[in-house]
Amino acid sequence: MSTTPETEPELLHRVENGVLWITLNRPKASNAITWDQRETIITLLGEASANEAVRAVVLGAAGEKHFCTGMDLRSSPGTKSLLADAAPAEDGTPQPPARPTGYASRMMKTGVLRLTTAVLECEKPVIAAINGTTAGYGMSLALACDLVIAADTSRFIQIFTRRGLIPDGGSAYLLPRLVGPQKAKELMFFGDDLPAAEALRIGVVNKVVAADELEATVREWAERLATGPTRAYAITKRLVNRSLDSDRATSFGEEADSVELNMTTRDANEGVASLMERRKPEYYGW
């Protein structure tokens, strides 16, 4: 997406033609996500699920070099050094560590994992528009989206082990389900750059286009989704996501129940009627 002036907010959002466009707007900080941005995106995704005027969502970024390079740890309230210990009391009594056992786990569960979950559970299709490098949690965020369109100059990096860390934000759950466990471990162990063309070949992205065609291509897909049967998309998304953790009998049962639910929607009835009447359907999203 295009570079935006520094005077604009660090997170842009607007609804246009049924599409909620969410844009990370910190190109000079490689679009690392701040605590405030994270909370706002979670809120926007929740509101999108309940808003019938929103029928698709696009997650994009300003600038030409970076989609997102992870979380901006410096922005988190109360962020402390990994190695910091509190000074002993005046009488020499040891004090609890600045980062006690359970601190990191709690930060993950209440932080990036909430954002990943918000994307996965959003009832509207979510497209990631990858304009450049996406690394660390930025890649986790892209993996959580329903569809990914990338500029041919973009690259994906599971950068965690380069810093002695382990993948977070749901990557260890999401990536093997896209590329298989062996390829996922290769990407995670070495942290090598994954160019857009290779990401397309192994199934990390859906489509790769020239950088100057990215916005138009994303808009075409998003607006196409925004004129489709929105509830059918939501139910399909839930079925596919749940199928990865379900046995066959459970999945088949949920599918049958979901068909029953979907047939109560106006759009399902419109789809059947248009087929019988040999005309193009007109979907309203409910």
Side-chain angles (χ1 to χ4, degrees):
M1 306 300 174
S2 59
T3 303
T4 49
E6 290 184 14
T7 55
E8 292 187 343
E10 293 186 337
L11 185 74
L12 307 176
H13 56 91
R14 71 185 192 279
V15 177
E16 184 178 302
N17 295 330
V19 180
L20 169 61
W21 294 80
I22 302 174
T23 304
L24 302 175
N25 192 36
R26 303 180 71 224
K28 291 188 176 181
S30 304
N31 287 317
I33 299 175
T34 66
W35 187 93
D36 287 337
Q37 284 178 311
R38 182 194 74 205
E39 294 304 303
T40 301
I41 295 171
I42 291 171
T43 299
L44 288 170
L45 291 170
E47 292 174 346
S49 290
N51 186 351
E52 291 184 1
V54 174
R55 298 173 66 182
V57 179
V58 173
L59 288 179
E64 300 176 352
K65 294 183 178 180
H66 301 96
F67 168 72
C68 176
T69 55
M71 301 301 298
D72 187 341
L73 299 179
R74 293 168 297 183
S75 73
S76 177
T79 296
K80 306 164 186 175
S81 168
L82 280 167
L83 302 178
D85 286 320
E90 291 184 2
D91 62 0
T93 303
Q95 299 298 299
R99 187 183 289 266
T101 302
Y103 177 86
S105 175
R106 183 166 57 254
M107 291 296 290
M108 286 292 105
K109 292 174 182 176
T110 60
V112 293
L113 290 173
R114 284 177 53 242
L115 178 50
T116 299
T117 299
V119 176
L120 291 169
E121 294 185 352
C122 181
E123 295 182 20
K124 309 300 167 64
V126 182
I127 301 176
I130 308 298
N131 56 312
T133 298
T134 179
Y137 181 70
M139 184 169 177
S140 304
L141 183 61
L143 294 173
C145 293
D146 302 304
L147 300 169
V148 181
I149 303 177
D152 55 7
T153 54
S154 63
R155 55 189 178 139
F156 299 78
I157 313 172
Q158 281 285 312
I159 202 168
F160 301 98
T161 55
R162 291 193 194 177
R163 305 291 180 260
L165 305 174
I166 67 167
D168 65 33
S171 277
Y173 174 86
L174 296 166
L175 188 57
R177 285 164 168 75
L178 290 174
V179 304
Q182 298 301 105
K183 188 64 178 180
K185 284 181 278 189
E186 175 191 332
L187 294 171
M188 291 174 171
F189 288 173
F190 295 115
D192 292 336
D193 291 11
L194 178 67
E198 178 66 4
L200 175 65
R201 188 187 72 80
I202 65 175
V204 169
V205 306
N206 297 87
K207 191 177 184 70
V208 173
V209 298
D212 60 0
E213 298 175 3
L214 178 63
E215 185 167 357
T217 304
V218 170
R219 182 179 299 278
E220 178 187 356
W221 276 30
E223 293 187 353
R224 181 177 173 185
L225 289 169
T227 60
T230 309
R231 295 312 305 162
Y233 292 152
I235 295 170
T236 300
K237 174 175 178 173
R238 186 178 66 210
L239 282 173
V240 172
N241 287 346
R242 286 177 61 84
S243 74
L244 300 172
D245 302 308
S246 298
D247 59 77
R248 185 184 65 185
T250 300
S251 185
F252 280 15
E254 290 187 348
E255 178 184 295
D257 292 341
S258 295
V259 169
E260 173 74 23
L261 175 63
N262 188 62
M263 288 309 299
T264 66
T265 67
R266 182 205 180 280
D267 284 347
N269 286 276
E270 165 65 6
V272 173
S274 66
L275 174 63
M276 301 297 290
E277 297 167 10
R278 298 185 178 181
R279 60 175 174 79
K280 184 177 180 180
E282 184 176 2
Y283 295 123
Y284 290 85
W286 45 273

